C-alpha cells in the first residue's frame, strides 16, 4: 500500500493526534472483541522478545572519553501508541529530536508484523521531528487493539531506533539489555511509579500509570487490570526515554469505578509494579 509522506517546516498541530472520544467499544478487535459490559479475559502469555521485535546490536564504535557531554545532548526518544484519536486506525508517533529520517525501515518492519501503514505524516517543531503513522491490521483493515501486538509494535520501533541511532540506547530502558550504550541513569521503580484513577463520566474512569519502562509492560498492565474484572476500553501508551506513561479508559460492568474499586485497582497495580525482592525461580 502506498504511503503518503507530508513534510512541514513550521509548527503545526496534527489532525491525527487530536484527542477524540473513541467511537468503537471494546479494547480488542477480531477474536477478542468485547463490549464494555463484558468481562475481559487474557490468557497469560509472555512475549518472545526476539525475531522482528528486539535484536541486540553491537556493530558500533566505542564511546569516547567525552561521552558524558554527548549523552547530555542526546534527545529523549518518545514512542506514543494512541488508540483514542482515530476510530479506524491505531496512531503511532515517534520523536527523537531532529535525528530521525523518513523511517522507511520502520514501516517495513511493521509490515513484517502483518500491519499496514495507511498514512504517514512528518512535522517539525521546536521539540523535534514528529513522525506519525496510522496503522491497521493487514488481515482486517482495522485498528490494532491486541495488547501483545501493540507491545510488538512498540518494541519493533524501539529496536529500529537503537539500530539506526545507537546513541538512543543511552536514553532508553531497553538499552540496558539490547542497546550498545547503557542507560545514563537508573530509575528506582518505587519512586518512579505513580498511579491515579479519575472519574470520566458515568460509564467509565480514567486510569493513569507512570512507571519505569521495560519490555512487555503493555501486556502486563492490561492483564493486571483485567485480572480484577475491570474492562479496558481504549487508551494511550507513551514511551518517554526510561519512563512509560499509560492512560486507560476502564469500566466495571459498563459503569465508572466506585472509589473502593479505584483503590483496589491502584493497589493491585502498585503491588505488581513494585521492585522485586526475590526471583520467582527461587521458589
Amino acid at each position: 500500500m502506498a504511503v503518503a509522506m507530508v513534510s512541514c517546516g513550521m509548527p503545526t498541530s496534527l489532525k491525527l493526534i487530536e484527542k477524540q472520544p473513541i467511537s468503537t467499544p471494546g479494547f480488542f478487535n477480531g477474536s477478542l472483541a468485547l463490549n464494555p459490559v463484558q468481562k475481559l479475559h487474557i490468557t497469560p502469555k509472555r512475549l518472545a522478545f526476539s525475531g522482528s521485535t528486539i535484536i541486540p546490536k553491537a556493530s558500533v564504535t566505542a564511546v569516547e572519553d567525552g561521552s558524558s557531554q554527548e549523552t547530555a545532548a542526546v534527545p529523549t526518544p518518545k514512542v506514543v501508541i494512541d488508540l483514542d484519536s482515530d476510530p479506524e486506525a491505531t496512531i503511532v508517533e515517534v520523536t527523537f529530536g531532529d535525528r530521525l529520517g523518513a523511517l522507511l525501515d520502520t514501516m517495513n518492519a511493521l509490515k513484517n508484523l502483518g500491519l499496514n501503514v495507511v498514512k504517514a505524516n512528518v512535522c517539525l517543531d521546536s521539540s523535534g521531528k514528529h513522525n506519525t503513522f496510522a496503522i491497521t491490521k493487514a488481515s482486517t483493515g482495522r485498528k490494532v487493539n491486541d495488547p501483545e501486538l501493540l507491545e510488538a509494535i512498540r518494541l519493533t520501533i524501539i529496536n529500529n531506533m537503537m539500530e539506526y541511532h545507537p546513541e538512543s540506547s543511552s536514553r532508553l530502558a531497553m538499552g540496558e539489555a539490547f542497546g550498545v550504550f547503557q542507560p545514563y541513569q537508573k530509575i528506582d521503580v518505587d519512586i518512579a511509579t505513580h498511579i491515579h484513577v479519575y472519574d470520566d463520566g458515568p460509564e467509565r474512569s480514567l486510569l493513569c500509570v507512570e512507571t519505569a519502562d521495560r519490555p512487555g509492560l503493555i501486556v502486563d498492565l492490561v492483564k493486571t487490570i483485567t485480572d480484577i474484572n475491570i474492562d479496558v476500553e481504549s487508551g494511550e501508551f507513551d514511551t518517554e526515554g526510561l519512563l512509560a506513561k499509560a492512560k486507560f479508559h476502564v469500566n466495571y460492568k459498563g459503569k465508572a469505578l466506585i472509589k473502593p474499586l479505584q483503590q483496589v485497582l491502584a493497589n493491585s497495580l502498585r503491588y505488581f509494579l513494585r521492585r522485586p525482592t526475590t526471583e520467582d525461580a527461587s521458589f
Side-chain angles (χ1 to χ4, degrees):
M1 180 174 292
V3 178
M5 300 297 295
V6 180
S7 298
C8 54
M10 297 295 293
T12 182
S13 58
L14 290 175
K15 199 170 182 183
L16 284 171
I17 59 175
E18 294 175 357
K19 302 299 178 185
Q20 298 292 338
I22 191 166
S23 60
T24 53
F27 188 46
F28 294 93
N29 283 332
S31 61
L32 291 175
L34 298 172
N35 293 322
V37 297
Q38 292 178 294
K39 181 178 177 180
L40 184 61
H41 295 285
I42 300 179
T43 303
K45 183 166 58 174
R46 294 284 179 177
L47 285 174
F49 303 111
S50 59
S52 62
T53 309
I54 287 289
I55 306 174
K57 304 294 176 183
S59 56
V60 177
T61 56
V63 186
E64 297 179 358
D65 294 338
S67 61
S68 58
Q69 288 89 355
E70 184 178 345
T71 300
V74 174
T76 300
K78 295 182 181 180
V79 179
V80 177
I81 298 178
D82 179 7
L83 285 83
D84 284 340
S85 297
D86 192 314
E88 304 297 332
T90 299
I91 306 303
V92 177
E93 180 182 340
V94 186
T95 305
F96 187 45
D98 60 356
R99 304 189 181 204
L100 293 177
L103 294 182
L104 296 178
D105 53 291
T106 297
M107 288 188 281
N108 288 332
L110 294 175
K111 184 178 179 180
N112 291 335
L113 293 177
L115 304 169
N116 284 332
V117 179
V118 296
K119 188 182 297 184
N121 290 325
V122 179
C123 181
L124 182 65
D125 62 17
S126 59
S127 64
K129 186 182 295 183
H130 301 265
N131 298 267
T132 305
F133 309 109
I135 298 173
T136 61
K137 295 182 67 174
S139 59
T140 63
R142 298 181 179 179
K143 68 190 305 176
V144 181
N145 282 327
D146 176 16
E148 293 199 4
L149 186 51
L150 291 172
E151 180 70 358
I153 292 171
R154 183 175 79 103
L155 296 182
T156 296
I157 292 172
I158 291 174
N159 180 53
N160 272 33
M161 188 182 296
M162 290 193 296
E163 178 178 0
Y164 292 95
H165 299 277
E167 72 277 13
S168 67
S169 69
S170 66
R171 291 278 180 174
L172 289 163
M174 257 67 85
E176 183 171 2
F178 305 109
V180 174
F181 305 127
Q182 293 294 300
Y184 67 101
Q185 69 180 57
K186 299 286 186 179
I187 289 185
D188 188 306
V189 175
D190 295 333
I191 295 175
T193 299
H194 303 280
I195 301 168
H196 302 283
V197 185
Y198 305 97
D199 294 329
D200 192 25
E203 297 182 350
R204 67 183 188 179
S205 299
L206 178 64
L207 167 66
C208 299
V209 180
E210 179 175 330
T211 190
D213 190 28
R214 59 173 175 74
L217 190 56
I218 295 180
V219 178
D220 289 339
L221 284 176
V222 173
K223 181 181 183 304
T224 302
I225 296 168
T226 56
D227 276 350
I228 55 177
N229 300 322
I230 293 176
D231 299 326
V232 179
E233 297 179 20
S234 62
E236 177 181 310
F237 194 93
D238 301 356
T239 304
E240 296 187 13
L242 303 178
L243 289 174
K245 301 178 181 180
K247 295 179 181 178
F248 296 116
H249 296 296
V250 298
N251 71 77
Y252 178 69
K253 296 184 177 180
K255 301 293 182 182
L257 275 58
I258 61 176
K259 295 300 181 182
L261 190 53
Q262 291 182 9
Q263 191 62 48
V264 170
L265 175 59
N267 290 343
S268 297
L269 288 170
R270 195 169 289 110
Y271 177 81
F272 169 75
L273 294 169
R274 79 193 191 288
R275 182 173 51 222
T277 56
T278 308
E279 295 291 338
D280 293 339
S282 64
F283 290 96

PDB file of all heavy atoms in Angstrom, residues 58-69:
ATOM      1  N   ALA A  58      25.493  -4.711  18.067  1.00  0.00           N
ATOM      2  CA  ALA A  58      26.805  -4.493  18.666  1.00  0.00           C
ATOM      3  C   ALA A  58      27.805  -3.842  17.727  1.00  0.00           C
ATOM      4  O   ALA A  58      28.919  -3.567  18.108  1.00  0.00           O
ATOM      5  CB  ALA A  58      27.378  -5.817  19.153  1.00  0.00           C
ATOM      6  N   SER A  59      27.429  -3.612  16.459  1.00  0.00           N
ATOM      7  CA  SER A  59      28.392  -3.099  15.489  1.00  0.00           C
ATOM      8  C   SER A  59      28.441  -1.575  15.512  1.00  0.00           C
ATOM      9  O   SER A  59      28.015  -0.904  14.593  1.00  0.00           O
ATOM     10  CB  SER A  59      28.009  -3.574  14.089  1.00  0.00           C
ATOM     11  OG  SER A  59      26.685  -3.174  13.796  1.00  0.00           O
ATOM     12  N   VAL A  60      28.965  -1.023  16.612  1.00  0.00           N
ATOM     13  CA  VAL A  60      29.059   0.430  16.750  1.00  0.00           C
ATOM     14  C   VAL A  60      30.404   0.758  17.368  1.00  0.00           C
ATOM     15  O   VAL A  60      30.916   0.026  18.210  1.00  0.00           O
ATOM     16  CB  VAL A  60      27.915   0.981  17.636  1.00  0.00           C
ATOM     17  CG1 VAL A  60      28.083   2.478  17.813  1.00  0.00           C
ATOM     18  CG2 VAL A  60      26.576   0.686  16.992  1.00  0.00           C
ATOM     19  N   THR A  61      30.990   1.873  16.960  1.00  0.00           N
ATOM     20  CA  THR A  61      32.271   2.269  17.522  1.00  0.00           C
ATOM     21  C   THR A  61      32.142   2.581  18.992  1.00  0.00           C
ATOM     22  O   THR A  61      31.083   2.955  19.481  1.00  0.00           O
ATOM     23  CB  THR A  61      32.784   3.517  16.784  1.00  0.00           C
ATOM     24  OG1 THR A  61      31.795   4.533  16.865  1.00  0.00           O
ATOM     25  CG2 THR A  61      33.087   3.210  15.327  1.00  0.00           C
ATOM     26  N   ALA A  62      33.245   2.453  19.714  1.00  0.00           N
ATOM     27  CA  ALA A  62      33.239   2.648  21.160  1.00  0.00           C
ATOM     28  C   ALA A  62      32.996   4.110  21.508  1.00  0.00           C
ATOM     29  O   ALA A  62      33.257   5.009  20.713  1.00  0.00           O
ATOM     30  CB  ALA A  62      34.577   2.197  21.744  1.00  0.00           C
ATOM     31  N   VAL A  63      32.503   4.346  22.732  1.00  0.00           N
ATOM     32  CA  VAL A  63      32.241   5.701  23.202  1.00  0.00           C
ATOM     33  C   VAL A  63      33.555   6.357  23.569  1.00  0.00           C
ATOM     34  O   VAL A  63      34.407   5.745  24.199  1.00  0.00           O
ATOM     35  CB  VAL A  63      31.317   5.659  24.437  1.00  0.00           C
ATOM     36  CG1 VAL A  63      30.932   7.061  24.842  1.00  0.00           C
ATOM     37  CG2 VAL A  63      30.090   4.827  24.149  1.00  0.00           C
ATOM     38  N   GLU A  64      33.708   7.602  23.181  1.00  0.00           N
ATOM     39  CA  GLU A  64      34.924   8.327  23.517  1.00  0.00           C
ATOM     40  C   GLU A  64      34.854   8.844  24.942  1.00  0.00           C
ATOM     41  O   GLU A  64      33.821   8.792  25.594  1.00  0.00           O
ATOM     42  CB  GLU A  64      35.093   9.496  22.531  1.00  0.00           C
ATOM     43  CG  GLU A  64      35.261   9.021  21.089  1.00  0.00           C
ATOM     44  CD  GLU A  64      35.398  10.199  20.137  1.00  0.00           C
ATOM     45  OE1 GLU A  64      35.327  11.339  20.631  1.00  0.00           O
ATOM     46  OE2 GLU A  64      35.583   9.974  18.938  1.00  0.00           O
ATOM     47  N   ASP A  65      35.981   9.347  25.430  1.00  0.00           N
ATOM     48  CA  ASP A  65      36.047   9.812  26.812  1.00  0.00           C
ATOM     49  C   ASP A  65      35.066  10.935  27.084  1.00  0.00           C
ATOM     50  O   ASP A  65      34.555  11.069  28.181  1.00  0.00           O
ATOM     51  CB  ASP A  65      37.471  10.271  27.154  1.00  0.00           C
ATOM     52  CG  ASP A  65      38.451   9.123  27.142  1.00  0.00           C
ATOM     53  OD1 ASP A  65      37.971   7.979  27.297  1.00  0.00           O
ATOM     54  OD2 ASP A  65      39.666   9.351  26.975  1.00  0.00           O
ATOM     55  N   GLY A  66      34.767  11.738  26.089  1.00  0.00           N
ATOM     56  CA  GLY A  66      33.855  12.862  26.297  1.00  0.00           C
ATOM     57  C   GLY A  66      32.411  12.482  26.110  1.00  0.00           C
ATOM     58  O   GLY A  66      31.592  13.316  25.751  1.00  0.00           O
ATOM     59  N   SER A  67      32.063  11.221  26.356  1.00  0.00           N
ATOM     60  CA  SER A  67      30.710  10.746  26.090  1.00  0.00           C
ATOM     61  C   SER A  67      29.691  11.343  27.037  1.00  0.00           C
ATOM     62  O   SER A  67      28.504  11.341  26.746  1.00  0.00           O
ATOM     63  CB  SER A  67      30.659   9.218  26.182  1.00  0.00           C
ATOM     64  OG  SER A  67      31.034   8.804  27.481  1.00  0.00           O
ATOM     65  N   SER A  68      30.080  11.832  28.209  1.00  0.00           N
ATOM     66  CA  SER A  68      29.117  12.396  29.150  1.00  0.00           C
ATOM     67  C   SER A  68      28.465  13.637  28.564  1.00  0.00           C
ATOM     68  O   SER A  68      27.259  13.834  28.665  1.00  0.00           O
ATOM     69  CB  SER A  68      29.798  12.738  30.477  1.00  0.00           C
ATOM     70  OG  SER A  68      30.859  13.660  30.270  1.00  0.00           O
ATOM     71  N   GLN A  69      29.269  14.492  27.888  1.00  0.00           N
ATOM     72  CA  GLN A  69      28.684  15.659  27.258  1.00  0.00           C
ATOM     73  C   GLN A  69      27.802  15.251  26.086  1.00  0.00           C
ATOM     74  O   GLN A  69      26.748  15.831  25.847  1.00  0.00           O
ATOM     75  CB  GLN A  69      29.780  16.615  26.771  1.00  0.00           C
ATOM     76  CG  GLN A  69      30.504  17.337  27.905  1.00  0.00           C
ATOM     77  CD  GLN A  69      31.701  16.544  28.404  1.00  0.00           C
ATOM     78  OE1 GLN A  69      31.930  15.424  27.957  1.00  0.00           O
ATOM     79  NE2 GLN A  69      32.455  17.113  29.323  1.00  0.00           N
TER      80      GLN A  69
END
